[in-house]
Amino acid sequence: MADATQNHRANSTPAGPSRRTLLRGAAVAGGALVTGAALGGGPARAEVEYDVVVVGAGAAGMTAALTAAKRGLRAVVVEKAPTFGGSAARSGAGIWIPNNEVILAAGVPDTPAKAAAYLARVVGGTVPVERQQAFLAAGPAMLSFVMRNSPLRFRFMEGYSDYYPEFPGGMPNGRSVEPDQLDGRVLGAELARLNPSYIPTPAGMVIFSADYKWLTLSAVNPKGTEVAALCLLRGTEAALRGEKPLTMGQALAGGLRAGLLAAGVPVWLNTPLVDLHLEGGRATGVVVSKNGTQTLIKATRGVIVGSGGFEHSAAMRAEFQRQPIGTSWTVGAKENTGDGIEAGERAGAALELMDDAWWGPAIPLPGEPYFCLAERTLPGCILVNGNGVRFVNEGAPYSDVVHVMYDRDTPAARHIPAWLIVDQQYRNRYLFKDVAPLLPLPASWYDSGAVHKAWTIEQLAQRIGVPQAALRGTVTRFNQFAVAGKDLDFHRGDSVYDRYYADPYVKPNPCLAPLWLPPFYAFKIVPGDLGTKGGMRTDARARVLRADGSVIPGLYAAGNASGAVMGHSYAGAGSTLGPAMTFGYVAANDIAGT
Ligand SMILES: Cc1cc2nc3c(=O)[nH]c(=O)nc-3n(C[C@H](O)[C@H](O)[C@H](O)COP(=O)(O)OP(=O)(O)OC[C@H]3O[C@@H](n4cnc5c(N)ncnc54)[C@H](O)[C@@H]3O)c2cc1C
C-alpha cells in the first residue's frame, strides 16, 4: 500500500496554514536549539542532565526507562498527565509476544518460524521484514526482562485465538499473555497516581481479561457462573490479606512503575514535552514545561519518545484520517494528543500509518464511548448499514470491521454510523457492557440516541431511519443462516477467532442465533479506537528515520508515537502493547550498546 501520509498531503488542499503547519515550520534550522520561544513560551534554561530522557510514562516509556536503568544508564521519565500509565493503565493488558517463556511453559506449540510466517502474512508488505524480525527476536527477551526486574508476572490467555488463526503459523489457542494479579501496595503512595482503568472492576472482585469472555455468559453457562464466583473469591481473599489487588492495565502500569521505583528512576508527572532539543542534527535533550517554566533536560546518550498516539488531537485527526472522525469516539488516554509525533516531525522525522488506528466498533454512550467486543459477536445480533443491510462478519477482528465501515461509507450507503440490532432473547442471555441480562438499559442511553427500542423490526427501522423492508429482509435472511448454522454471506463463525466471544450452548453455530423475540434494540455503532497507530517511522533498532531513510541521531520512538510494526493489521490480543513494550526495550538497549 502507498504511504497514506504522502497520499493525504498530495490530495489535500487546506484553506490556509493550520496551527500544526505553522508549528511544523518552526522546526530546527541548522541544528539550532528548538526552544519554547518558537512556541510562544519563555526561553528554555538548562537545568538537569541524564543519560536518557524518556517521554511518556505509558507502556513503551516505562519499559524503556526500566531497561535503560538496568543497563546502568541514568534515566528520567517526563509525563504530561498528573498520573502515570497512559492508555496502558486503562487497558485490558493483553500482550501479544510469540515464543515468550510464559506461553512456552504453558505448552503452546510456538516456534520462531511459525511466528515469522504468521506476522509476515498478517502485515503484508507494509512493514520492513527487519522490523518484524526485531520485534519477534526481542519480544520474548523483553518479557523475561520485565519479569526479572519488576514485580510483574504474566499468565497465558488460553484459548484467545490469534486474530487470523487460519493463516500459516496462526495459533487457534492463542499466544497472548496478561499480567497476573499484583498487590498495589508495592507502589506505596504512588498507587494514588495510577491512571484509572477504562471500566472499573466491580467492587470486591478480581477480574482478568481472560475472564471477560466467561462473565458475559455467566447467566447461561456453568463455566461463566464458576468464573464469576472465582472473581469474587479472589477479591475476598485479597481483602482478607489486606491487599489492593490490581489486574489488567492497572497491574501492567503499576508493575512497571514499581520496577522504576525500585530502580530509582524518577518519573516527573505534570511535565509535558514541549519540544525536542537538537544540536548539530542530533537529539540531545527535551524541552519540558515544569511548574510553569520551560526547562531543558539534556540527554547525553539519547531521547526515547513514548508519548502515545494522537487520538485526542482534533487537528491531527482532521489532517490525516478519513472522515467522519473526531476525538469523542476514542477510549485512549486523553493526554495523547500527538505531542511527541509533532515534535519528531519538526525534528525531521518521517511519519507513517497516520491514517490508521487501533480501530474497533464503539457505541457513543453518554460520557464515554463503549468499545464493543463480545457484544457484536455473541449470537442474536447483526450489524447493518444505513440501508438496513449487513455488510461484514460481525465477529471479525475489530480493526477490520472499522476498515470496512470506512471503505464502504458512501452517500448512497452510509456505514457510519452502522447499527447493531439485537433481540430480547440476546438481552436475556448476555451481559451488555456492565448491564446484567434481563435488566433494562439505562435511560440515558436512550436519551442520547445511542440506543433505540421497538416492538417490531419495522418500528425499529423507522426509529433509526433505515428502510423497513430492507431491515426485515436482512433479519429474515440472517435467521435462515442462523437456523442452518452457516452464514453464507459473511461466514461468521467459520473462523476459530469468531468463536472466542460466542455462546457454546448455541447450536449448530455458537455465533449465530435468530432474532425473533421482541422487543428489538438498535445500538449506534461508530468507528472507535484504542488509540492511533501512526507516528514516527523507525528502524529495527527503534531509531527515528527521516524521509530519505537516514537516522536522526539520538532520537528513538516506541509505542503509538511510532508507526506500528503491525502495519494496517492486528495479529492477536495484545498487538499494541507487545510491540510498544518491545521497542521501548529495544531502544534503551540500543542506546546502552552504542
Ligand atoms: C480501554 C483500552 C483497552 C486496551 N486494551 C488493550 C489490550 O488488551 N492489549 C493491547 O495490546 N492494547 C490495548 N489497548 C491499547 C494500548 O493500551 C495502547 O496502544 C498502548 O498503551 C500504547 O502504548 P504507549 O506507550 O504508546 O502509549 P500510552 O500507554 O498511552 O502512554 C503514553 C504516555 O505518554 C504521555 N504523554 C502524552 N503526551 C505527552 C507529552 N507531551 N509529554 C509527556 N508525556 C506525554 C501520556 O500521558 C501517556 O501517559 C487498550 C487501550 C485502551 C484505552
Side-chain angles (χ1 to χ4, degrees):
M1 174 177 248
D3 185 318
T5 306
Q6 287 169 1
N7 279 348
H8 173 87
R9 288 191 175 148
N11 297 334
S12 68
T13 49
S18 64
R19 179 175 177 275
R20 268 187 42 70
T21 318
L22 289 171
L23 288 181
R24 204 185 305 138
V28 193
L33 171 69
V34 177
T35 69
L39 300 162
R45 78 196 143 87
E47 271 208 356
V48 275
E49 184 182 280
Y50 285 87
D51 295 328
V52 179
V53 180
V54 176
V55 183
M62 289 200 285
T63 309
L66 186 61
T67 310
K70 291 293 170 182
R71 292 292 307 264
L73 300 172
R74 296 170 304 144
V76 64
V77 183
V78 294
E79 166 57 51
K80 177 181 185 179
T83 54
F84 66 88
S87 287
R90 291 167 64 74
S91 78
I95 297 173
W96 194 82
I97 305 266
N99 291 297
N100 72 70
E101 64 173 272
V102 177
I103 62 169
L104 295 181
V108 175
D110 205 357
T111 66
K114 284 183 192 170
Y118 179 68
L119 188 61
R121 177 73 171 78
V122 166
V123 304
T126 46
V127 180
V129 174
E130 304 78 52
R131 285 204 77 217
Q132 298 176 38
Q133 286 171 345
F135 164 60
L136 294 174
M142 179 281 294
L143 207 76
S144 301
F145 164 85
V146 167
M147 286 193 281
R148 279 200 315 277
N149 292 288
S150 81
L152 277 166
R153 299 294 176 270
F154 297 92
R155 40 198 285 153
F156 175 39
M157 299 175 81
E158 187 172 4
Y160 204 152
S161 164
D162 277 347
Y163 289 3
Y164 308 93
E166 293 80 17
F167 284 0
M171 289 283 159
N173 205 34
R175 43 170 53 122
S176 306
V177 297
E178 65 171 313
D180 216 332
Q181 186 174 329
L182 181 75
D183 182 1
R185 290 179 304 174
V186 292
L187 284 162
E190 270 308 285
L191 181 58
R193 289 179 274 279
L194 173 57
N195 199 23
S197 57
Y198 165 53
I199 296 183
T201 302
M205 294 181 102
V206 171
I207 301 176
F208 294 107
S209 266
D211 296 331
Y212 167 62
K213 159 195 168 79
W214 293 109
L215 294 177
T216 63
L217 299 173
S218 54
V220 291
N221 186 298
K223 171 113 194 247
T225 318
E226 192 188 306
V227 168
L230 186 60
C231 293
L232 259 175
L233 179 68
R234 287 188 206 120
T236 310
E237 286 175 349
L240 289 174
R241 292 193 297 264
E243 293 177 2
K244 298 189 170 157
L246 304 175
T247 55
M248 300 190 258
Q250 296 286 284
L252 180 64
L256 289 172
R257 182 72 186 90
L260 294 181
L261 274 175
V265 178
V267 177
W268 295 357
L269 302 179
N270 295 304
T271 309
L273 167 83
V274 175
D275 220 332
L276 296 165
H277 176 74
L278 288 101
E279 292 171 64
R282 182 184 179 83
T284 53
V286 299
V287 179
V288 296
S289 171
K290 191 163 165 38
N291 301 323
T293 312
Q294 289 201 358
T295 302
L296 172 64
I297 310 175
K298 296 284 296 245
T300 58
R301 303 286 291 276
V303 174
I304 304 174
V305 181
S307 53
F310 60 93
E311 53 266 25
H312 281 283
S313 166
M316 292 176 81
R317 290 277 204 186
E319 178 172 356
F320 292 107
Q321 301 202 312
R322 286 195 272 182
Q323 304 300 314
I325 193 63
T327 56
S328 59
W329 298 335
T330 180
V331 296
K334 66 178 186 309
E335 288 81 9
N336 289 345
T337 51
D339 307 355
I341 299 172
E342 292 193 305
E345 193 185 15
R346 289 193 289 276
L351 306 186
E352 63 183 10
L353 298 171
M354 296 292 282
D355 60 330
D356 216 332
W358 305 106
W359 302 115
I363 304 171
L365 294 180
E368 194 163 37
Y370 178 62
F371 193 92
C372 273
L373 276 178
E375 288 84 357
R376 73 185 153 79
T377 299
L378 286 161
C381 75
I382 51 172
L383 265 177
V384 298
N385 64 15
N387 292 346
V389 175
R390 281 181 79 213
F391 60 94
V392 73
N393 166 9
E394 293 84 351
Y398 29 92
S399 248
D400 291 352
V401 174
V402 172
H403 283 148
V404 174
M405 287 170 72
Y406 275 116
D407 289 348
R408 305 237 171 120
D409 189 50
T410 64
R414 282 287 164 225
H415 288 70
I416 301 172
W419 296 94
L420 180 72
I421 312 289
V422 314
D423 76 341
Q424 186 60 40
Q425 160 98 330
Y426 168 103
R427 283 264 37 245
N428 290 346
R429 292 176 69 80
Y430 312 123
L431 185 75
F432 197 104
K433 186 175 180 275
D434 49 1
V435 183
L438 292 166
L439 290 186
L441 301 169
S444 62
W445 294 14
Y446 293 105
D447 297 344
S448 71
V451 58
H452 300 261
K453 175 172 147 183
W455 287 90
T456 66
I457 290 290
E458 285 75 12
Q459 280 170 1
L460 192 69
Q462 203 177 15
R463 297 250 154 92
I464 61 175
V466 309
Q468 298 179 28
L471 187 60
R472 165 58 68 193
T474 297
V475 170
T476 303
R477 182 171 170 81
F478 176 80
N479 286 354
Q480 287 163 0
F481 294 161
V483 171
K486 194 81 191 148
D487 173 11
L488 296 179
D489 288 341
F490 296 103
H491 309 285
R492 175 167 158 194
D494 285 6
S495 169
V496 174
Y497 171 73
D498 299 358
R499 296 179 176 225
Y500 181 69
Y501 290 120
D503 183 345
Y505 281 0
V506 169
K507 307 273 185 219
N509 183 330
C511 299
L512 304 180
L515 286 71
W516 61 274
L517 184 67
F520 301 95
Y521 304 79
F523 297 85
K524 188 183 272 185
I525 296 291
V526 294
D529 63 66
L530 302 172
T532 52
K533 60 155 60 168
M536 286 174 265
R537 181 176 295 157
T538 54
D539 66 7
R541 292 159 61 183
R543 300 178 301 177
V544 174
L545 302 177
R546 300 188 186 92
D548 64 5
S550 61
V551 169
I552 301 179
L555 187 59
Y556 293 76
N560 292 346
S562 60
V565 73
M566 291 291 152
H568 292 285
S569 199
Y570 209 120
S575 291
T576 101
L577 286 167
M581 295 171 72
T582 301
F583 282 110
Y585 173 79
V586 166
N589 273 319
D590 197 72
I591 293 172
T594 51

